Amino acid sequence: TSQMISFWKKLYHKHIKKTRVQTVQLRGRLSDADNEFLKADAKKYILSAGGVAKKVQTTKQPIFFEVGFGNGSHIVELARVHNGALVLGSEMYMAGVVNTLRSSLRQEIVNLFVTSSDARVVLKKMPEGSLERVYTLFPDPWPKVRHNKRRLVKKDFIELVLSKIKLEGLCVIATDWADYADEILEVVQTLKMNGQVEETKLTEEETQNIFKTTFALRAQKEGREISLFTLKKIK
C-alpha cells in the first residue's frame, strides 16, 4: 500500500541511509572486573571523539595516532618508546581497550589515551596538519569478495588521514592480505603520481615492533606475507 511504501521510505532516509558501513567486526563481552577497571583505574585515559580532538588542539607534544590498535601490543610500545609524545588510539573492540590500558598502566605509561569511537569520526574532528604519524595496522580484511566494500583503507580514508598529518609526517599501513595490499598499492601509486606522498622506511626497531604484533605473528605462522606501506606527506 502507499502507506507502507511511505513508511519504508521514511525509515530508509532517517536511519538506514545514514548508517555508516561497518568496517570492523565487534566481538566478545566484558567481565564485571573489566567494567569496574574501565570505570575506575582507566577512566582518565578513555576519551570521547571530541575529547581526543580537544587534547590534540591543546597539546604542544608531537602526536601519534593508531587506528584500530587491537590488543595494544604496538601502541603501548609506541607510547613507552616515545614518552615525550601524546599517543592516541581508537579501538571499537572494548576487550582490546581493556587489555591495552591494563598493559599501559601496569608499565606506568601516562602519555597514552584511547577512544572506542570510530576512527573516521575521530579524525574528522582533528585540526588539519596536527599529527606526526598515523598507524593503521592489520585492519579487518573482510576477505569475502561481497564484503570487500567494508574495508576501511580506501582512497577516501587515506586522503582523510593525510589531511590530518603534518608536512613530512608519516602514514603507516600494514596488511597481510595480498588483494588488500594490491588495493592499497593502487591508491599509493596515484598519490605518488600526484606528488602528495613519497614512500620511505621506518627504523629497524619500529618495523620489528609492527612485526611482533599478534596479527603479524599469526600471518607469519599461516604463511601470509606482510605488506608495509610507509608514506611521507610531501604536499
Side-chain angles (χ1 to χ4, degrees):
T1 67
S2 59
Q3 285 184 323
M4 283 298 292
I5 292 170
S6 176
F7 169 78
W8 285 111
K9 277 186 177 179
K10 285 179 182 177
L11 182 68
Y12 172 78
H13 286 287
K14 187 175 181 181
H15 299 289
I16 300 172
K17 190 178 179 183
K18 295 179 182 178
T19 301
R20 186 179 298 280
V21 175
Q22 186 181 348
T23 57
V24 62
Q25 299 182 72
L26 303 180
R27 301 171 295 273
R29 292 182 180 179
L30 299 183
S31 66
D32 290 343
D34 289 338
N35 283 312
E36 187 58 37
F37 170 74
L38 291 174
K39 289 177 186 174
D41 302 6
K43 187 177 180 181
K44 175 183 174 183
Y45 298 96
I46 302 174
L47 306 173
S48 64
V52 172
K54 188 174 180 181
K55 263 207 175 299
V56 170
Q57 290 164 356
T58 55
T59 188
K60 292 183 178 178
Q61 298 169 284
I63 306 165
F64 295 169
F65 181 61
E66 183 164 343
V67 176
F69 54 76
N71 68 5
S73 56
H74 178 264
I75 199 171
V76 171
E77 181 66 8
L78 190 68
R80 188 189 68 78
V81 172
H82 298 277
N83 55 17
L86 172 62
V87 179
L88 303 167
S90 65
E91 176 56 62
M92 296 172 73
Y93 182 35
M94 288 307 296
V97 171
V98 170
N99 190 76
T100 298
L101 291 178
R102 282 194 192 281
S103 178
S104 64
L105 294 180
R106 198 181 304 123
Q107 298 178 57
E108 300 182 342
I109 292 170
V110 295
N111 61 322
L112 171 59
F113 295 83
V114 304
T115 180
S116 59
S117 298
D118 187 305
R120 292 163 295 188
V121 174
V122 178
L123 283 164
K124 284 174 183 175
K125 289 180 178 291
M126 291 182 182
E128 294 201 350
S130 57
L131 307 178
E132 293 286 339
R133 294 186 183 184
V134 176
Y135 295 85
T136 309
L137 307 178
F138 307 102
D140 199 320
W142 293 99
K144 293 180 180 178
V145 174
R146 69 177 184 272
H147 290 155
N148 282 179
K149 64 184 178 184
R150 298 187 180 190
R151 287 175 170 174
L152 174 65
V153 185
K154 294 183 179 290
K155 185 173 184 287
D156 59 346
F157 175 77
I158 296 177
E159 288 182 335
L160 171 63
V161 168
L162 289 173
S163 73
K164 306 301 177 178
I165 294 175
K166 292 180 177 179
L167 208 57
E168 303 287 302
L170 300 183
C171 169
V172 183
I173 304 166
T175 184
D176 56 313
W177 288 84
D179 66 322
Y180 204 171
D182 289 341
E183 284 182 19
I184 295 166
L185 181 59
E186 274 189 42
V187 178
V188 170
Q189 288 173 335
T190 300
L191 293 170
K192 286 167 67 177
M193 283 174 58
N194 293 341
Q196 293 171 261
V197 302
E198 64 181 23
E199 290 194 75
T200 184
K201 291 186 177 180
L202 298 172
T203 66
E204 183 63 27
E205 183 181 3
E206 290 168 334
T207 302
Q208 284 309 307
N209 190 28
I210 291 172
F211 276 65
K212 287 188 292 187
T213 60
T214 303
F215 284 109
L217 293 173
R218 183 186 300 171
Q220 293 166 52
K221 184 179 178 182
E222 295 175 1
R224 288 192 302 278
E225 185 179 347
I226 295 169
S227 295
L228 182 62
F229 302 89
T230 306
L231 311 177
K232 182 192 287 187
K233 179 178 176 178
I234 58 175
K235 185 172 79 172

